[in-house]
Amino acid sequence: MGHTRGSGRPNQWLRNLNAKLASIPMILTAVVIFLGGTVWTVVYSFTNSKLLPRLSFVGLDQYERLWAAPRWLMSVQNLAIYGLFSLIFSLVIGFLLAALMDQKIRFENTFRTIMLYPFALSFIVTGLVWQWLLNPEYGIQSVVRSLGWTSFAFDPLYNSNIVIYGILIAALWQGTGLVMCLMLAGLRGIDEDIWKASRVDGIPMWKTYVFVIIPMMRGVFITTLVIIASGIVKVYDLVVAQTSGGPGIASEVPAKYVYDYMFQAQNLGQGFAASTMMLITVAIIIVPWAYLEFGGGRKRA
């Protein structure tokens, strides 16, 4: 028995050998580049690095300066507002559009393509398009006023109090189509017998969605939330294309703060500290998702 167990162990390691060998470069890339780069960033966030990285440790000074900087505080505030509304509206609008598409409407493929098309554009293109649309001189405000409503005002990108909502409009226009497709895929995976049973029992459609369909789509919602949240944390292109952080610092976001301090202000230590805070934010998003998707699944099994 011992000989069989000992001789069977090499066979187990040699099983799917080609696949394991093929995965070695990706594993090395993940460990050396991603994990190594992450550790390197965290370590140097405790240093006084300026133009070039140097191991001159200053403790938590960079983090103290970071959380005392009005620009960083504004960035965090904007990210919180942008993130909250982006999550809510993306999910709600995306699910409603998917529910409409799931009614087997005519020209469904055409409408689905139209809704998904903005996602194919780069964020820079989207930002420039909406910068033009929200420009009071020749955008939506100008068009509406030319129709007779001379008192109409719609210039969110030029109002420091609501500029983040102008960026949010562009983000929703680009990203809602993807959410719709993810939700539609989940809806198409629901057994048709469930719908038939709900109709036979006389259950209103909205109750079927709320109490039956949505709980069954838990995995789709969790995955969609992670995709949206990861995009929220790293939002940069839209802000640069639409406002460059203005008016003043009213539309600053953490990713732009990191870029500006690392490559323009030549303060690597401060940029690394801000990057580490963004990393913590991403971890807060990813860890619960990984537990729900993998740890929770094994426990239920």
Side-chain angles (χ1 to χ4, degrees):
M1 180 69 70
H3 176 73
T4 304
R5 186 179 297 132
S7 61
R9 191 177 301 275
N11 293 334
Q12 183 179 0
W13 282 104
L14 292 175
R15 186 180 302 169
N16 298 325
L17 181 61
N18 291 335
K20 291 176 180 177
L21 290 175
S23 66
I24 290 176
M26 190 61 221
I27 294 174
L28 291 176
T29 301
V31 172
V32 176
I33 297 180
F34 297 126
L35 183 59
T38 299
V39 173
W40 191 83
T41 299
V42 174
V43 169
Y44 277 90
S45 69
F46 296 99
T47 68
N48 193 28
S49 301
K50 294 297 183 181
L51 177 61
L52 296 174
R54 59 176 182 172
L55 283 173
S56 175
F57 289 100
V58 292
L60 296 174
D61 283 3
Q62 295 290 1
Y63 292 93
E64 292 175 358
R65 295 172 188 170
L66 180 70
W67 288 102
R71 184 178 175 186
W72 173 255
L73 296 177
M74 177 62 71
S75 299
V76 174
Q77 177 183 318
N78 285 335
L79 188 67
I81 296 172
Y82 174 87
L84 177 64
F85 285 103
S86 183
L87 275 174
I88 293 173
F89 285 112
S90 293
L91 285 174
V92 172
I93 297 173
F95 184 81
L96 290 176
L97 289 173
L100 291 174
M101 290 287 182
D102 196 40
Q103 305 305 310
K104 308 298 189 296
I105 62 175
R106 295 180 62 185
F107 307 111
E108 177 189 329
N109 291 336
T110 302
F111 285 119
R112 190 167 62 230
T113 302
I114 292 173
M115 295 301 301
L116 190 59
Y117 174 75
F119 187 74
L121 302 176
S122 71
F123 284 106
I124 292 294
V125 173
T126 298
L128 292 175
V129 168
W130 279 95
Q131 181 193 55
W132 177 83
L133 288 173
L134 298 178
N135 190 301
E137 296 297 327
Y138 41 80
I140 296 174
Q141 175 177 298
S142 176
V143 172
V144 174
R145 287 187 176 184
S146 67
L147 297 176
W149 287 279
T150 56
S151 61
F152 177 81
F154 187 65
D155 55 348
L157 298 185
Y158 297 83
N159 186 332
S160 60
N161 294 321
I162 59 173
V163 62
I164 194 65
Y165 300 102
I167 296 171
L168 176 65
I169 292 172
L172 290 174
W173 178 79
Q174 180 166 29
T176 302
L178 175 65
V179 177
M180 180 203 71
C181 288
L182 292 172
M183 294 295 175
L184 184 59
L187 288 172
R188 292 288 163 84
I190 302 297
D191 194 336
E192 188 66 28
D193 291 339
I194 295 176
W195 293 106
K196 293 178 181 177
S198 66
R199 285 193 291 267
V200 170
D201 293 338
I203 302 175
M205 182 175 288
W206 71 269
K207 284 190 175 182
T208 304
Y209 274 112
V210 173
F211 297 108
V212 180
I213 303 302
I214 291 179
M216 293 180 67
M217 294 174 58
R218 170 181 168 274
V220 176
F221 273 93
I222 292 175
T223 301
T224 305
L225 278 171
V226 172
I227 292 173
I228 297 172
S230 62
I232 289 170
V233 173
K234 63 182 183 181
V235 61
Y236 171 81
D237 313 60
L238 279 177
V239 175
V240 172
Q242 287 187 272
T243 64
S244 294
I249 60 171
S251 60
E252 286 287 339
V253 289
K256 186 175 182 299
Y257 184 96
V258 171
Y259 179 87
D260 288 349
Y261 268 85
M262 291 183 69
F263 299 105
Q264 294 185 5
Q266 298 178 353
N267 189 339
L268 290 180
Q270 184 69 184
F272 289 146
S275 298
T276 303
M277 297 310 303
M278 292 180 65
L279 174 65
I280 293 173
T281 305
V282 173
I284 292 173
I285 296 168
I286 296 297
V287 170
W289 168 78
Y291 173 77
L292 289 172
E293 285 296 297
F294 302 107
R298 284 197 298 267
K299 186 178 291 186
R300 287 193 299 272

